[in-house]
Amino acid sequence: MRKIFVLCLFISSLFAIQAKQINSIEDIDTNKEVILVFSIPSCPWCIRQINVLEKIKEKRDSLQIVKVVKDSDIYNKLIEKYPFPVQFYPTSFLVDKEDNELNIKYEFQGFQKEKNIIKVLDSIDEF
């Protein structure tokens, strides 16, 4: 049973790898809606969140998903430069990039269902 669980976890992590990992802020697209997903390795909720976001991305070409892993160089740079209040994993932020600076538009704490994320994406001007 344990082997099956480990195998399932491994397979689900392969699907989660599709999210873009960045090395600097310059790697974030300017003309897209960007969701930064702050995560930790081996977090099952982080993997599920990335999978939900990838499903949404299939329907929206204007969405970029960026995985920011705890203790990576970019994680430390983002936490140092911006007010990303990460207390739970996963924590995601909808941001836009202007003049090589990030503007936080919305914050998702913890795992979010697809309908919650789409609701925010569809009505972001109201927040």
Side-chain angles (χ1 to χ4, degrees):
M1 186 64 144
R2 184 173 182 209
K3 289 180 183 180
I4 292 173
F5 175 75
V6 171
L7 181 61
C8 290
L9 185 62
F10 175 74
I11 290 171
S12 65
S13 68
L14 287 177
F15 289 111
I17 292 174
Q18 295 175 359
K20 185 176 181 179
Q21 292 191 9
I22 60 171
N23 295 318
S24 71
I25 295 171
E26 289 79 29
D27 295 338
I28 296 174
D29 291 338
T30 302
N31 56 352
K32 291 191 174 188
E33 296 172 308
V34 180
I35 297 181
L36 299 176
V37 182
F38 288 81
S39 65
I40 54 176
S42 72
C43 165
W45 292 107
C46 299
I47 292 167
R48 289 179 186 171
Q49 188 67 76
I50 295 288
N51 289 337
V52 167
L53 290 168
E54 287 294 336
K55 188 176 175 183
I56 295 170
K57 183 179 176 184
E58 290 175 5
K59 301 171 191 170
R60 292 178 178 255
D61 292 335
S62 64
L63 184 64
Q64 179 184 16
I65 296 150
V66 177
K67 184 177 177 183
V68 182
V69 180
K70 185 176 182 184
D71 295 331
S72 66
D73 289 337
I74 191 64
Y75 179 96
N76 295 330
K77 288 176 189 174
L78 287 171
I79 294 294
E80 184 178 303
K81 186 172 183 175
Y82 297 100
F84 290 117
V86 179
Q87 297 176 345
F88 309 101
Y89 295 97
T91 296
S92 305
F93 296 90
L94 178 62
V95 299
D96 63 0
K97 181 179 167 188
E98 293 180 29
D99 299 325
N100 214 25
E101 293 292 322
L102 299 179
N103 300 311
I104 300 171
K105 296 169 83 176
Y106 197 83
E107 174 185 353
F108 300 98
Q109 288 190 358
F111 175 78
Q112 299 293 316
K113 293 182 179 182
E114 181 178 357
K115 67 179 182 176
N116 296 341
I117 297 169
I118 290 175
K119 181 179 177 183
V120 170
L121 292 173
D122 287 344
S123 59
I124 191 62
D125 293 333
E126 298 173 13
F127 293 101

